[in-house]
Amino acid sequence: VNILAGAFLEQKNFLSSAKIDYRLSSKTSAEVFWTHLSTTNETEGFVDISSNNLNAAALWQATPLVRLGPGFRYGVRTGFDDAKFTVAGPLLRADYNLSAKIDLTSSVGLDFSDSPDGEDELLNWRVGLNYRVSMLWGVSLNMVRDTQANLITGGGFDQISSYQLGYNRKIRSASLQLGVAYIDRDPQGAAGVPLGFRDSTSVDYTASLSFPIYGDEVDLNINLAWRDFKTAEILQSWDGFQSGLSLAWRF
């Protein structure tokens, strides 16, 4: 279900990536990471969009637990009518790894953007934190801010800020996962789809329970989700409940 339109659509997503790590010395290394995502829509009213990102960083092992360093990123987003949104700018990488319990990967950057609506300066960040309290349970935090093309015909480009908190726990042979996410969409520029429709927030609650039903080979998964979606155009706001059931077979 498309979060903006509140309707079903048929699409195909293609994701490809490549990463190169090169150790310069015992305490320094270089990293280059490239990702490409393209979405092809076959439902009327939705357009094809794509995103390319190239990140490069020089990292220094400041302590046995901390690795940090400067970097640079360049990205191109393509949207309606082949309009392009280009971002380029410096970033700062910081990683923290404390045994198997705490794992933090983060980057914060400043984008100098160029789009059909003009030039701008935008912040971007990506933070991933995993905290394994014990063998039985743990928590995770993921935060992302970036820009993407709006896939509705006539749409422009939006800055998306996402904050996700997760909790996982082992219950005997079963596994329980709970999550809550807050997503904010901020339209860039004034062209295309009315801003009141694109200016939106979403709060998502998810729950998943997985347990074996045939030895260690077959698992049953039960998934529940509820989303509360609000826009500046109040008539476009909606909420919905979703449930799912699946089997996973390992061989």
Side-chain angles (χ1 to χ4, degrees):
V1 178
N2 176 257
I3 187 173
L4 283 178
F8 291 100
L9 68 142
E10 183 179 359
Q11 64 180 198
K12 297 177 182 178
N13 294 300
F14 300 91
L15 174 65
S16 55
S17 63
K19 183 178 180 181
I20 299 175
D21 287 303
Y22 184 74
R23 180 174 292 277
L24 301 172
S25 68
S26 60
K27 286 194 173 185
T28 58
S29 61
E31 178 183 289
V32 179
F33 184 47
W34 169 80
T35 59
H36 169 77
L37 174 64
S38 63
T39 299
T40 302
N41 284 287
E42 300 180 10
T43 303
E44 186 177 355
F46 298 88
V47 299
D48 300 340
I49 63 175
S50 66
S51 173
N52 279 281
N53 279 309
L54 179 67
N55 288 31
L59 300 173
W60 173 51
Q61 194 74 43
T63 74
L65 303 179
V66 178
R67 190 173 67 151
L68 53 84
F72 180 84
R73 89 159 184 161
Y74 175 80
V76 178
R77 290 88 171 92
T78 304
F80 173 68
D81 204 20
D82 290 330
K84 286 184 169 54
F85 191 103
T86 303
V87 294
L91 58 85
L92 176 64
R93 274 280 308 277
D95 301 339
Y96 178 74
N97 193 331
L98 179 59
S99 67
K101 281 194 171 184
I102 301 178
D103 184 7
L104 170 68
T105 301
S106 65
S107 69
V108 179
L110 176 64
D111 284 333
F112 297 93
S113 66
D114 184 17
S115 73
D117 296 311
E119 299 179 352
D120 201 356
E121 297 178 5
L122 303 170
L123 282 176
N124 72 82
W125 62 68
R126 184 175 298 271
V127 178
L129 172 64
N130 293 295
Y131 180 28
R132 171 64 63 180
V133 181
S134 69
M135 295 296 293
L136 294 178
W137 69 282
V139 294
S140 63
L141 174 67
N142 290 282
M143 300 188 300
V144 178
R145 169 175 283 186
D146 210 336
T147 307
Q148 67 177 209
N150 192 303
L151 50 75
I152 296 179
T153 298
F157 299 89
D158 302 329
Q159 188 175 57
I160 313 296
S161 302
S162 172
Y163 309 87
Q164 299 176 319
L165 180 64
Y167 169 83
N168 62 84
R169 184 176 182 85
K170 291 285 291 182
I171 306 174
R172 295 185 179 179
S173 59
S175 177
L176 173 68
Q177 292 184 333
L178 303 175
V180 59
Y182 176 81
I183 303 170
D184 178 75
R185 180 184 295 267
D186 182 21
Q188 302 298 302
V193 177
L195 296 184
F197 182 64
R198 291 161 52 193
D199 188 2
S200 63
T201 61
S202 173
V203 181
D204 302 346
Y205 301 92
T206 59
S208 175
L209 181 64
S210 175
F211 52 89
I213 60 174
Y214 185 75
D216 293 330
E217 297 180 351
V218 182
D219 289 346
L220 178 66
N221 303 294
I222 302 173
N223 304 288
L224 305 173
W226 183 76
R227 167 173 287 164
D228 184 14
F229 179 72
K230 297 185 183 301
T231 71
E233 293 287 346
I234 190 64
L235 294 179
Q236 300 291 345
S237 300
W238 59 276
D239 58 70
F241 174 77
Q242 181 179 359
S243 62
L245 186 69
S246 66
L247 288 173
W249 177 30
R250 291 181 296 274
F251 59 90

